[in-house]
Amino acid sequence: MTNNSDIPPTTATMSGGPAEVEEERIQLTRPANAEGDLPKVGARYIWFILLGLFGAYIALVTPIALSLAIRIKEIAPDNEEYLGYVIGSAAVVSLFSGPITGVLSDRTRTRFGRRRPWLVGGAILGTIGLLVIAIAPSVLIVAVGWVITTLGWNTVIGSFTNSQADRLPESQRGKVGGLVGFVTMSAPVAGSILGGILATDAVLLFMVPGVIGVILVLLFAFVVPEDDSRMRTFDDKLDLRFMLSKFVYNPRQYPDFSWNWLGRFLFYFGLTLNSTFTAFFFAQRLNLEVTQIGGLIAIAGLIGVVTVIVGSIGGGFLSDKLHRRKPFVLGSGAMFSVGAVMMALSNDLPMLMVGAAITNLGLGIFSAVDQALVLDVLPERDTDAGRFVGINGLANSLAQSAAPLIAPLFLGIGVASAAEKNYSLLYLIAAAFTVAGGIVVLKVKTVR
């Protein structure tokens, strides 16, 4: 394959005029090049998908980082563990929603294309869920609102991934993955800053990130063209049996996809153990109330942005340049582990900040390079890309559903009373899982 990895995606024309729109349409329909790769995407596509993902993540991740902890503390001040149950219950729903929306997206036939209707619908649904949380009178209603929120915004994020599977050539996957990794990490920082400012107003705390998300997703949906999909035809009847069959596949048929799936699950299990209780962890170690640490989490996030820039963009570009994925994934798991261990052993703010920065560096590298690796090994790209993107998303959903539900067991080990929490053990276990995720990915054979 011709090496185009030295040409940054942002060198395309940024005029935004009719010629570029027409070029985007041509890219959707022109055949792959002689080597079988997809044609390169233009700057318009890259910039607006990054903006859309920033909006989706600021709406979805801000509650995980801070807002939900504040809301749970208001409603059930003596039951921090409820946060894990709320997040875990929504992740269980995601186990089913991801593959279903992926298959339905593949088979969607509208004049607006396959992906855009799901982007718009998901953003609206996710924002409705945020409003439910903001006005919820009980933890149960918070959980219902969070299920709606994650269903909507995960649909948006999955649709963006489906779009990348449709259109990104191999030579741009690491670069775009690096930029996406930066966006996914900078969004929670912006959200934490907003959360610190809006912490005393529950409605604004949830709705401002939601409105930002809707606006930026709609920008992508209306500015980036997508082919009319009404002419697509399908041999299989869309019924319950067909939908259930799309949840499973033969791992032996696609071993590299399967090994990468397992590595991704292990890494995200460790990440979720590390990140779910961040607000409570910082409050415990610094002897502060959870409502007082929004600013500190934002500062930690700002420091993390620097390491994420180095990790995600640097890792993604180097991965394309060197034509290597697996060493970067392994290194990111080890690096995240080092940071998690430092946080587990910390008793002061500087060590907490350094540990968080190192975990962010590892996460930045992983999010960029593993995303490229997913696209490299994605089976049946032409016909079932959304289906396998959804199955790949199960790795995240399973991790994000199981880890918060299991975490309270670790938090209760070795403590003298129910009011105490063993965060050190939780973070050490998280470190072990991220290393294991990097090691498992070494089993992938067709990608170096």
Side-chain angles (χ1 to χ4, degrees), residues 338-401:
V338 170
V341 170
M342 288 186 65
M343 295 179 74
L345 302 178
S346 65
N347 286 304
D348 55 42
L349 183 60
M351 193 168 178
L352 276 175
M353 292 296 188
V354 172
I358 294 174
T359 59
N360 283 329
L361 179 60
L363 178 58
I365 297 171
F366 183 88
S367 62
V369 181
D370 187 70
Q371 180 64 30
L373 183 55
V374 168
L375 297 178
D376 289 342
V377 301
L378 196 70
E380 303 178 25
R381 182 186 306 276
D382 293 337
T383 57
D384 270 353
R387 171 200 176 190
F388 280 96
V389 166
I391 291 174
N392 183 71
L394 285 175
N396 301 40
S397 300
L398 279 169
Q400 292 166 358
S401 60

Side-chain angles (χ1 to χ4, degrees), residues 12-30 42-45 48 116 167 219-227:
T13 303
M14 289 296 292
S15 65
E20 188 180 4
V21 174
E22 180 61 25
E23 172 64 14
E24 292 285 351
R25 295 189 183 278
I26 292 172
Q27 287 178 353
L28 284 173
T29 56
R30 69 163 65 121
R44 174 188 293 270
Y45 177 85
F48 281 98
R116 286 195 286 181
R167 300 182 61 176
L219 274 177
F220 176 89
F222 287 109
V223 171
V224 176
E226 184 180 353
D227 274 356

Side-chain angles (χ1 to χ4, degrees), residues 15 23 168 172 203 368 392 422:
S15 65
E23 172 64 14
L168 276 185
Q172 289 184 300
V203 174
N392 183 71
N422 192 346

Side-chain angles (χ1 to χ4, degrees), residues 82-115:
Y82 286 174
L83 177 62
Y85 301 142
V86 168
I87 294 176
S89 62
V92 169
V93 174
S94 299
L95 295 178
F96 305 96
S97 64
I100 290 173
T101 56
V103 172
L104 293 177
S105 177
D106 284 340
R107 298 172 68 94
T108 295
R109 294 182 291 186
T110 73
R111 60 174 298 211
F112 304 107
R114 296 188 294 169
R115 312 306 182 190

Side-chain angles (χ1 to χ4, degrees), residues 296-336:
L296 291 175
I297 291 179
I299 292 172
L302 288 171
I303 296 172
V305 165
V306 177
T307 56
V308 165
I309 292 173
V310 175
S312 61
I313 298 180
F317 276 65
L318 281 175
S319 175
D320 278 352
K321 179 75 172 179
L322 301 175
H323 302 286
R324 296 288 189 276
R325 307 291 194 209
K326 295 189 293 185
F328 287 93
V329 175
L330 176 61
S332 66
M335 193 171 297
F336 191 100

